[in-house]
Amino acid sequence: MSSTTKLKMNYRKFNTIWTIVVAVLVVVAIAATVVMNFFSLSMEIFLGRGARVVEPDPEMSNVDTAYYESNAGSTDELNERTNRTAQAIAEQVIVLMKNNNDALPIAKQSKVTPFGYRYGNPIYGGIGLGSVNTASSRIYTAKRALSEFFTVNSDVEKAMDEATARGLDSDGYQKPDEKTGFEGSTDTIIEFDPSIYDGLEDSANGTTGIVFIGRSGGEGGDVTADMPGSAIEGKGYADGTPHQLAISQDERNTIKYAKENCDKVVVIIDSPNVMEIGDLMNDDSDVSANAILWIGGPGGQGFKAMSEILCGDVNPSGKTVDTWMTDIMEDPSMSNFGNAEYENLYLLQGGYPNPVGDPTEMNFIEYEENIYVGYRYYETVDDTGGTFTVNGKDNQTYADAVQMPFGYGLNYGTDFSQEIVSTEQNKDSVTLKVHITNNGTKAGKDVVQVYYDPPYTDFDAKNSIEKSTVNLIAFEKTDDIQPGAAQDITVTVTKEDRASYSYAHENSDGTKGAYLLEQGDYALSINKTAHEKYQSVTVNVPQTIWYDNDNPRQPDKDGQAVLDDQGNPTNEPANGDTFKAASNLFQDMTDHMSKISQLTRANGALSNTATFPTKEEKADIPAAFNAKMGDEGRLILQQMDLDADTTLGNTAGSKVYTTEKPTSNADNGLTLSDLRGVDFNDTKWDQLLDQLEWPSRIPE
């Protein structure tokens, strides 16, 4: 073979290789561009954003583009107002969970020693679009907040700044896996090795130790847990921590160090999730704290509010918005934690109309807890004579199972009492006048919490109608009430808000499912928490009311009504016809859920009967799923065929099919800004759509 021939062959081979390389790079570039655009906000937050350049379009000079009128004089003034609002919200919602012997507040500029990875690397909020731009100078970090109010132990702070934290997972300690933005929340528990504090004992003496414990949470990051029977069985942590919402060994040892070397210890819970903190609350535990503050996801100004509360400038008044349980893994919602896989159902991934990749297993979760979620479960079990399983022990009491009830929160130096001083009832509602008195020594805010307990009858048991014994129906926070002073608050509760849903009810018009307000006595109570009542009154409903299409509830009407210029419902149907009551819209799914083991009161005391799906339940594929048998005997969930689908397809008889071509290129002289504030049902929307140029057919 001649050298010329070899050269041509090498050249062709070279061309082939580079053609493939360039093609791959083009595909990668296109994919990266799509991803970067989709996650543009997250990318800008975490990688920085360039300067914005605005070039006005001359043709838009006469268009009013000022969508919102602002009375702020400048951007700086607007930012300051935003900061004050965020700070005020945080001041109202941070929860004081424990405060033994008035450990808090502590004096301004007193010496404090911070501990923990989350002191320098806090959880500010969610992830992705819920994240906080921590690069902004407006953000109050935990460091900034403590330094402005207290004298911070610089030796310990320096030790943490210079140390490298470690991430705990099921295999042991790894490099910190601190995910950000759209990557998903981390499932490693990140903390310093407590040995970094060795030799700093003298600097901590005489100070208040403030230990920061945090957990991230959000899309793309399910909590890691060792859940027997589920898909995540055996997924605990190497140090014995059973799940991500428990306190790790590094965190426990850090708290022990603080207890041994500081005058008192305050724990800051920086987590959007409920955590297991029983040992921190228990005074007999070797990691018990003197005080505990839950700050949730504090956002940009929450750490400043935290410091205001720590020093007493603000008296805490937040209440828990979940039940804090002793054993999270025994909650009914955890029985199905971890996706179950159908026995034989596969999903074709996106790429319409041509799917990409191979079919993957189809996952599902069964919601067996019924309506008994959170406090509704714990309170109903206790009220109906049931018991709990806690840390492997059966027949445990409410006090064993619940660390803090829903609606719990402490103040500094207050002692509130509440009394119902009057009750007024008409055909539509009940109005309670509540008298709140501060019998303490400091001014503070309290919350009026109104709950109702509906009658539960044989009719409910036979018709699969579930009712919790405790249901929050209204709440209102007081102003600052001075010691010895009082405030009256009036709360109105509609009768429709006390209705329950019957998914089995046969309506006269052929639909199925309706709300009902059953006859009988309803207890309305004002509570200190979901578990502890101040006082209750009884309200009677003389006869059962069904809210079907002959008698829709007012909330159903309001959601379907024409709105006035102020956005208020007018009681006129937006569809120009009639209002529709709530009823079953996905009967196939209702039928499927009714076959699995739902929690129920029908058999007596409520108990946790929820279990991870059985083999039979995994094989029970709802009839509503459009699946066909594919290669290798696999049942494949099909994508919708827009041309042939008889429900939403472009075929005669479907719900959206029409032979009438929409108006196109109309000269109505409208711009989108002209419809600012215009009612959803106004004909101007159709006139604007008529101006669009519609293609003869959507391109494939």
Side-chain angles (χ1 to χ4, degrees):
M1 184 181 295
S2 68
S3 59
T4 303
T5 303
K6 290 181 179 179
L7 181 62
K8 288 181 179 179
M9 291 181 66
N10 287 337
Y11 183 73
R12 284 198 299 271
K13 187 176 181 181
F14 177 82
N15 268 352
T16 301
I17 293 173
W18 273 104
T19 299
I20 294 173
V21 170
V22 170
V24 170
L25 290 175
V26 169
V27 171
V28 171
I30 293 173
T33 301
V34 171
V35 171
M36 294 284 277
N37 284 327
F38 186 81
F39 294 111
S40 59
L41 180 59
S42 294
M43 300 303 297
E44 289 173 353
I45 288 175
F46 292 98
L47 299 179
R49 64 182 70 177
R52 178 175 295 176
V53 178
V54 179
E55 295 182 359
D57 185 342
E59 296 182 6
M60 298 294 290
S61 59
N62 296 324
V63 176
D64 178 14
T65 58
Y67 278 78
Y68 301 99
E69 297 294 334
S70 172
N71 56 5
S74 65
T75 301
D76 289 341
E77 182 181 349
L78 181 62
N79 286 339
E80 180 56 31
R81 292 185 184 185
T82 302
N83 292 346
R84 290 199 299 268
T85 299
Q87 180 182 336
I89 292 172
E91 291 169 351
Q92 296 287 315
V93 300
I94 289 176
V95 180
L96 178 62
M97 293 179 157
K98 182 181 181 181
N99 194 26
N100 278 11
N101 302 318
D102 295 327
L104 294 176
I106 51 181
K108 280 186 177 180
Q109 300 310 316
S110 61
K111 295 181 179 180
V112 300
T113 301
F115 296 95
Y117 175 78
R118 291 303 172 191
Y119 170 63
N121 300 271
I123 304 296
Y124 290 96
I127 60 172
L129 297 181
S131 57
V132 175
N133 181 13
T134 56
S136 171
S137 60
R138 297 166 54 196
I139 300 301
Y140 256 87
T141 65
K143 287 186 175 183
R144 177 183 175 188
L146 283 191
S147 66
E148 288 186 7
F149 287 80
F150 306 100
T151 302
V152 179
N153 186 331
S154 58
D155 292 335
V156 171
E157 190 173 66
K158 180 182 178 182
M160 290 189 288
D161 288 342
E162 294 177 350
T164 299
R166 56 188 186 180
L168 175 67
D169 61 18
S170 59
D171 296 323
Y173 293 105
Q174 317 293 338
K175 291 182 179 180
D177 178 25
E178 185 74 296
K179 298 176 182 177
T180 56
F182 54 83
E183 294 178 294
S185 56
T186 184
D187 57 3
T188 58
I189 299 177
I190 304 175
E191 190 50 86
F192 295 115
D193 182 338
S195 65
I196 70 166
Y197 307 117
D198 290 347
L200 301 174
E201 290 79 6
D202 289 345
S203 71
N205 289 340
T207 70
T208 297
I210 303 179
V211 182
F212 290 79
I213 293 175
R215 296 291 186 273
S216 62
E219 182 182 5
D222 280 346
V223 169
T224 293
D226 184 1
M227 193 66 229
S230 78
I232 57 172
E233 184 172 0
K235 300 293 184 180
Y237 292 85
D239 69 345
T241 304
H243 56 83
Q244 196 172 341
L245 301 179
I247 307 299
S248 73
Q249 196 60 51
D250 276 349
E251 292 167 333
R252 300 174 78 89
N253 289 338
T254 300
I255 295 171
K256 289 178 183 178
Y257 181 94
K259 285 171 64 69
E260 291 169 358
N261 295 286
C262 300
D263 283 357
K264 51 188 173 182
V265 176
V266 179
V267 173
I268 306 296
I269 305 295
D270 177 14
S271 168
N273 290 304
V274 169
M275 293 185 65
E276 279 184 16
I277 59 171
D279 287 342
L280 277 60
M281 296 286 289
N282 183 0
D283 291 335
D284 295 328
S285 167
D286 59 354
V287 292
S288 66
N290 299 100
I292 300 173
L293 273 184
W294 177 62
I295 62 174
Q301 304 296 311
F303 282 110
K304 183 177 182 180
M306 174 199 73
S307 287
E308 291 177 318
I309 290 173
L310 287 174
C311 73
D313 281 358
V314 171
N315 198 342
S317 59
K319 305 295 181 182
T320 54
V321 293
D322 286 293
T323 298
W324 286 60
M325 62 286 289
T326 306
D327 184 357
I328 289 177
M329 292 299 105
E330 283 297 338
D331 187 89
S333 62
M334 299 305 297
S335 297
N336 281 277
F337 195 71
N339 290 331
E341 293 180 355
Y342 282 105
E343 284 288 299
N344 183 28
L345 184 64
Y346 294 80
L347 173 68
L348 280 171
Q349 299 299 326
Y352 186 86
N354 299 312
V356 296
D358 295 325
T360 58
E361 292 85 354
M362 185 71 176
N363 297 326
F364 69 97
I365 293 177
E366 300 283 34
Y367 294 95
E368 297 189 26
E369 56 268 35
N370 214 311
I371 68 164
Y372 302 108
V373 177
Y375 74 88
R376 290 182 176 87
Y377 167 71
Y378 291 93
E379 303 304 328
T380 305
V381 170
D382 189 52
D383 289 338
T384 58
T387 61
F388 303 89
T389 298
V390 181
N391 296 323
K393 297 180 181 179
D394 296 331
N395 301 317
Q396 299 297 291
T397 67
Y398 179 95
D400 297 321
V402 175
Q403 197 66 58
M404 283 168 287
F406 177 94
Y408 170 89
L410 304 176
N411 308 87
Y412 297 147
T414 61
D415 180 17
F416 290 109
S417 61
Q418 297 185 16
E419 178 187 7
I420 300 173
V421 294
S422 69
T423 305
E424 296 182 8
Q425 182 177 4
N426 59 35
K427 65 183 184 67
D428 295 321
S429 63
V430 178
T431 298
L432 305 178
K433 184 177 181 181
V434 183
H435 189 70
I436 306 99
T437 304
N438 183 358
N439 304 299
T441 59
K442 292 184 179 181
K445 295 180 172 69
D446 198 16
V447 178
V448 175
Q449 304 176 45
V450 183
Y451 297 82
Y452 75 94
D453 179 5
Y456 183 79
T457 66
D458 289 341
F459 178 83
D460 299 322
K462 292 176 181 178
N463 289 274
S464 302
I465 300 171
E466 299 297 334
K467 298 176 181 178
S468 169
T469 60
V470 177
N471 302 270
L472 180 69
I473 195 170
F475 61 92
E476 189 78 30
K477 181 172 278 192
T478 69
D479 301 325
D480 264 318
I481 302 177
Q482 296 298 320
Q487 180 180 348
D488 289 340
I489 283 184
T490 300
V491 180
T492 298
V493 175
T494 68
K495 68 179 182 181
E496 293 179 341
D497 285 343
R498 288 175 274 143
S500 302
Y501 192 76
S502 171
Y503 67 82
H505 183 67
E506 301 280 356
N507 300 316
S508 59
D509 60 358
T511 60
K512 197 170 184 178
Y515 278 97
L516 77 154
L517 184 67
E518 195 171 1
Q519 69 177 25
D521 290 335
Y522 290 72
L524 288 178
S525 63
I526 52 172
N527 288 26
K528 188 173 185 178
T529 68
H531 190 65
E532 185 178 352
K533 293 183 177 67
Y534 283 116
Q535 189 180 358
S536 66
V537 295
T538 299
V539 178
N540 181 262
V541 174
Q543 62 182 21
T544 297
I545 302 172
W546 285 95
Y547 297 105
D548 54 18
N549 280 333
D550 295 326
N551 181 38
R553 296 183 307 157
Q554 192 61 45
D556 295 334
K557 295 180 181 179
D558 292 345
Q560 302 168 46
V562 174
L563 305 180
D564 62 21
D565 292 339
Q566 285 72 46
N568 300 313
T570 62
N571 225 30
E572 175 186 343
N575 63 8
D577 188 9
T578 58
F579 293 112
K580 289 187 176 181
S583 61
N584 300 353
L585 293 182
F586 303 97
Q587 190 60 47
D588 287 335
M589 297 306 297
T590 299
D591 294 340
H592 169 77
M593 293 302 292
S594 65
K595 290 187 292 186
I596 65 176
S597 178
Q598 298 281 324
L599 268 63
T600 179
R601 294 175 62 182
N603 303 318
L606 183 67
S607 61
N608 183 6
T609 57
T611 60
F612 198 68
T614 63
K615 183 176 182 179
E616 290 73 24
E617 288 170 334
K618 292 179 181 179
D620 184 15
I621 299 172
F625 286 0
N626 178 25
K628 295 181 180 178
M629 192 64 68
D631 297 338
E632 302 176 1
R634 295 186 298 182
L635 201 59
I636 309 296
L637 196 62
Q638 303 295 306
Q639 296 195 38
M640 180 187 294
D641 186 335
L642 291 182
D643 286 324
D645 189 81
T646 56
T647 303
L648 297 174
N650 184 30
T651 184
S654 80
K655 293 182 178 180
V656 298
Y657 181 78
T658 178
T659 58
E660 183 179 349
K661 186 177 180 180
T663 302
S664 182
N665 291 321
D667 186 14
N668 294 328
L670 293 173
T671 66
L672 186 59
S673 61
D674 293 327
L675 278 81
R676 185 184 316 131
V678 173
D679 185 83
F680 176 82
N681 299 287
D682 195 288
T683 56
K684 285 185 179 179
W685 289 106
D686 290 324
Q687 295 171 16
L688 180 69
L689 292 176
D690 288 346
Q691 295 179 191
L692 300 179
E693 180 179 355
W694 295 99
S696 58
R697 178 178 172 82
I698 297 175
E700 295 184 358

